[in-house]
């Protein structure tokens, strides 16, 4: 990984030397092309003219100075850096028609370009609240078509389809990209989408995107050689999300570090889209808070290969779930995928009794069936098993307080846990689970080293359940509070290694093997 990052840095430095590092770079101030900073005038033509001229001249820096510049869709070109000065606001148009007649374009787009950048200490503001008013006005007038907005959904809202809600940044098939120091906020869909791109560096950005649902903080889709560091994400949907939409590609050589995340979905997520897969993903030093779903979600359900994942140093407070690892089979047109060689270490998560994102403007939807606190989980499916997962130095503190009258799940028949083979992957997908701390099923080669599971309140369920697991090693599993017995239930587990299990009381009573 160190060699990869060094090489990537050198390549980007060389590639951008002409537009970001040289004292001789040519600048193109959008005001000189007619842009007006009054917060009302549409400056699309002026800004695009500056970009086009810079690109035609071999590259340069297009400067958006301090002020409020409204724009429609702008197309970033090769060898051009879009630079937002301090106190510069690039405001997305609040008129739906400015994003195209069919599917809404993103605000800033680039296709098949190279050596492009968005830098500076300014703000890209999608003006989502005002744009949404215009969308509803047109829908009610019948001048805008939408197939989804009147359909029932978990949010109980008339929600326009994503095709009518523009992203803020969308780059496709681009190479050598820098996104640095900017603030991005108030979109109506994914904040930024980088699809099939290579050599992408994102550093020190701030994302505030809680205007509406589906507002992922960042989506990295089938990209190669990515470095995302020192950034903040407050998103209504997933915070930092890697996806794979091309069966012949994958997210590969991705490094994420030193980021802080708040989400009404999951903080760090690989999936749900998982056509090709995820390979050589490294994640370090992530802080998570007030997050509704999982701190870490690692999922492949569309036939993709997920392998060589290394996640370390994650601290999450007030978060609904610590870790979910899921191999499913949602895409029935292809064989189930592969999930193997995953390491997760140095993780601490505090799971509350209530809804962690309660009070935020756009909360995540309440799950359908009533359930108690849901444990972390590693689950495959019959015939397609999770392989080679190591969980080391993991502490998960649960609030507890489970009640049988909310949802009762006895341990006499573990077969009651539904398989949900084609379902959308989520920590709550099975409903009530028979364990309060950790649940593992249909997996091979699971190593747990130095795991602590605590539960403040009462819980009638065992702390830890493994069902249909081949090759399970529990080395220093510490469960200091005994809520019920057995504390550990092992069903259909072979090649079992138990070492230094720390549970108060008799091991014979606390550990049940069947």
């Amino acid at each position: 990984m160190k060699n990869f990052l060094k090489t990537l840095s050198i390549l980007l430095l060389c590639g951008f030397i002409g537009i970001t590092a040289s004292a001789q770079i040519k600048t193109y101030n959008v005001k000189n092309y007619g842009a007006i900073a009054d917060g009302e005038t549409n400056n699309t033509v002026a800004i695009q003219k500056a970009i086009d001229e810079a690109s035609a001249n071999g590259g340069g820096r297009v400067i958006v100075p301090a002020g409020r510049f409204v724009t429609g869709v702008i197309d970033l070109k090769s060898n051009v850096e879009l630079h937002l000065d301090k106190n510069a606001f690039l405001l997305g148009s609040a008129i739906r028609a400015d994003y195209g007649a069919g599917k809404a374009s993103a605000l800033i787009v680039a296709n098949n370009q190279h050596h492009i950048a968005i830098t500076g200490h300014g703000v890209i503001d999608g003006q989502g609240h005002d744009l949404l008013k215009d969308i509803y006005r047109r829908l009610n007038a019948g001048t805008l078509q939408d197939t989804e907005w009147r359909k029932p959904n978990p949010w109980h809202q008339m929600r326009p389809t994503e095709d009518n809600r523009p992203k803020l940044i969308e780059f496709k098939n681009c190479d050598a990209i820098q996104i640095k120091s900017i603030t991005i906020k108030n979109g109506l869909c994914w904040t930024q989408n980088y699809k099939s791109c290579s050599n992408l560096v994102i550093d020190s950005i701030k994302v505030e995107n809680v205007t509406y649902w589906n507002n992922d903080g960042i989506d990295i889709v089938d990209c190669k050689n990515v470095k995302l560091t020192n950034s903040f994400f407050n998103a209504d949907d997933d915070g930092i999300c890697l996806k794979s939409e091309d069966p012949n590609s994958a997210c590969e050589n991705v490094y994420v570090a030193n980021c802080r995340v708040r989400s009404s979905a999951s903080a760090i997520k690989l999936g749900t889209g998982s056509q090709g897969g995820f390979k050589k993903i490294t994640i370090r030093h992530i802080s998570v808070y007030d997050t509704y779903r999982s701190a870490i979600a690692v999922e492949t359900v569309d036939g993709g290969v997920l392998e060589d994942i290394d996640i370390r140093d994650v601290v999450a407070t007030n978060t609904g779930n610590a870790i979910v690892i899921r191999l499913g089979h949602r895409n029935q047109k292809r064989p189930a995928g592969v999930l193997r060689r995953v390491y997760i270490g140095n993780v601490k998560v505090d799971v509350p009794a209530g809804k962690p994102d309660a009070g935020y403007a756009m909360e995540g939807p309440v799950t359908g069936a009533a359930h108690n606190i849901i444990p972390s989980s590693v689950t495959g499916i019959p015939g397609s098993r999770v392989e080679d997962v190591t969980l080391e130095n993991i502490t998960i503190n649960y609030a507890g307080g489970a009640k049988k009258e909310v949802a009762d799940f006895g341990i006499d028949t573990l077969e009651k846990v539904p398989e949900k083979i084609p379902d959308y992957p989520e920590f709550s997908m099975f409903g009530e689970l028979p364990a309060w701390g950790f649940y593992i099923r249909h997996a091979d080669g699971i190593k747990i080293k130095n795991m602590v599971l605590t539960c403040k309140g009462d819980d009638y369920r065992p702390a830890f359940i493994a069902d249909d697991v081949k090759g399970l090693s529990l080395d220093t599993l510490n469960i200091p509070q005994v809520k019920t017995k057995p504390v550990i239930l092992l069903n259909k587990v072979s090649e079992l290694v138990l070492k230094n299990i720390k549970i108060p009381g008799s091991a014979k009573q606390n550990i049940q093997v069947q």
Side-chain angles (χ1 to χ4, degrees):
M1 179 55 64
K2 289 182 179 179
N3 289 335
F4 153 65
L5 292 175
K6 182 177 180 181
T7 301
L8 179 59
S9 298
I10 292 171
L11 287 171
L12 287 164
L13 177 60
C14 292
F16 279 91
I17 195 75
I19 64 171
T20 62
S22 170
Q24 299 177 354
I25 48 181
K26 192 166 182 181
T27 60
Y28 301 79
N29 191 312
V30 297
K31 279 191 170 183
N32 295 334
Y33 295 82
I36 300 173
D38 60 3
E40 297 180 359
T41 302
N42 189 318
N43 295 290
T44 308
V45 173
I47 295 170
Q48 192 62 55
K49 189 181 294 183
I51 291 171
D52 292 346
E53 186 170 322
S55 183
N57 291 336
R61 177 182 290 159
V62 171
I63 295 176
V64 179
R68 300 176 63 82
F69 296 87
V70 174
T71 183
V73 178
I74 55 177
D75 193 351
L76 198 56
K77 301 292 182 65
S78 292
N79 300 310
V80 174
E81 172 193 1
L82 181 63
H83 183 84
L84 309 180
D85 280 347
K86 185 178 180 179
N87 297 322
F89 290 82
L90 195 60
L91 305 176
S93 170
I95 300 173
R96 167 62 181 87
D98 287 339
Y99 298 90
K103 179 178 179 180
S105 169
L107 180 66
I108 304 174
V109 301
N111 294 290
N112 295 294
Q113 304 301 304
H114 60 86
H115 299 97
I116 55 178
I118 305 177
T119 67
H121 294 278
V123 177
I124 298 170
D125 185 342
Q127 298 197 108
H129 291 291
D130 291 336
L131 176 57
L132 188 61
K133 291 177 183 177
D134 184 67
I135 290 172
Y136 278 127
R137 184 163 50 247
R138 292 168 188 269
L139 288 172
N140 287 317
T143 58
L144 181 64
Q145 301 303 309
D146 195 295
T147 58
E148 297 290 332
W149 77 297
R150 291 190 183 276
K151 290 183 179 180
N153 58 64
W155 294 266
H156 305 293
Q157 294 281 339
M158 291 193 299
R159 188 169 81 163
T161 178
E162 293 182 39
D163 287 352
N164 273 322
R165 294 184 276 121
K167 301 176 178 68
L168 295 182
I169 299 173
E170 187 164 54
F171 293 170
K172 298 179 180 179
N173 302 301
C174 294
D175 178 59
I177 303 164
Q178 283 193 5
I179 310 293
K180 188 173 182 181
S181 301
I182 60 171
T183 295
I184 316 171
K185 66 180 185 179
N186 297 333
L188 287 182
C189 197
W190 296 1
T191 309
Q192 46 195 324
N193 183 29
Y194 304 96
K195 185 173 181 178
S196 301
C197 295
S198 56
N199 300 314
L200 168 63
V201 171
I202 302 171
D203 182 66
S204 300
I205 68 169
K206 181 179 180 181
V207 173
E208 293 276 4
N209 208 12
V210 294
T211 310
Y212 209 64
W213 294 286
N214 303 117
N215 280 12
D216 292 0
I218 184 170
D219 290 272
I220 297 168
V221 184
D222 292 314
C223 291
K224 308 288 192 296
N225 302 335
V226 179
K227 183 181 180 185
L228 166 60
T229 53
N230 307 315
S231 296
F232 171 80
F233 299 89
N234 179 15
D236 177 69
D237 213 316
D238 298 321
I240 298 174
C241 189
L242 278 59
K243 294 181 181 292
S244 177
E245 297 175 351
D246 183 352
N248 299 311
S249 188
C251 279
E252 189 167 359
N253 287 335
V254 178
Y255 178 81
V256 179
N258 302 319
C259 292
R260 183 165 169 79
V261 183
R262 204 295 308 177
S263 167
S264 284
S266 292
I268 302 291
K269 185 174 180 181
L270 279 61
T272 298
S274 44
Q275 297 283 341
F278 310 91
K279 301 179 180 181
K280 299 179 183 177
I281 311 298
T282 302
I283 298 174
R284 296 285 187 272
H285 302 292
I286 305 297
S287 172
V288 179
Y289 71 99
D290 293 0
T291 287
Y292 176 39
R293 293 177 176 158
S294 300
I296 301 168
V298 177
E299 306 162 350
T300 179
V301 296
D302 297 322
V305 175
L306 186 154
E307 61 187 9
D308 300 322
I309 312 300
D310 190 324
I311 301 172
R312 307 185 192 215
D313 307 313
V314 177
V315 176
T317 58
N318 196 38
T319 297
N321 178 258
I323 298 166
V324 59
I325 299 176
R326 174 63 172 171
L327 170 58
H329 194 189
R330 181 176 66 165
N331 185 352
Q332 296 286 304
K333 296 180 180 179
R334 300 177 58 200
V338 174
L339 195 160
R340 62 193 175 200
R341 299 197 298 273
V342 175
Y343 178 93
I344 300 177
N346 303 331
V347 173
K348 182 177 180 181
V349 182
D350 291 326
V351 178
K355 194 167 182 290
D357 69 334
Y360 281 84
M362 291 287 172
E363 295 181 26
V366 177
T367 53
H371 59 76
N372 292 295
I373 289 176
I374 295 174
S376 289
S377 61
V378 177
T379 60
I381 57 177
S384 297
R385 303 166 70 83
V386 173
E387 304 174 65
D388 300 330
V389 172
T390 298
L391 305 171
E392 185 171 18
N393 299 329
I394 309 289
T395 297
I396 309 173
N397 301 314
Y398 293 92
K403 299 177 180 179
K404 286 188 177 183
E405 53 266 34
V406 173
D408 186 7
F409 208 127
I411 62 173
D412 55 332
T413 170
L414 296 180
E415 288 75 14
K416 287 183 180 179
V417 180
E419 294 288 354
K420 299 291 185 78
I421 292 172
D423 284 26
Y424 186 93
E426 191 56 83
F427 82 101
S428 58
M429 65 184 297
F430 304 111
E432 184 78 349
L433 280 171
W436 61 256
F438 220 102
Y439 176 79
I440 304 172
R441 182 170 63 170
H442 305 317
D444 298 336
I446 306 299
K447 297 178 181 179
I448 291 178
K449 302 178 181 179
N450 193 26
M451 176 180 284
V452 179
L453 301 174
T454 71
C455 183
K456 294 178 182 178
D458 292 334
D459 202 300
Y460 65 90
R461 301 167 293 177
F464 184 102
I465 292 179
D467 184 14
D468 184 24
V469 178
K470 180 181 179 181
L472 174 64
S473 174
L474 303 180
D475 182 353
T476 314
L477 174 58
N478 185 359
I479 305 173
Q481 302 109 343
V482 174
K483 303 298 177 180
T484 190
K485 296 179 181 180
V487 179
I488 298 174
L489 175 59
L490 307 174
N491 182 59
K492 300 178 184 177
V493 174
S494 61
E495 300 178 21
L496 173 65
V497 176
L498 298 178
K499 183 179 179 181
N500 197 24
I501 305 301
K502 299 180 179 180
I503 307 172
S506 167
K508 185 176 181 180
Q509 291 181 326
N510 286 330
I511 302 174
Q512 179 175 322
V513 180
Q514 59 189 35

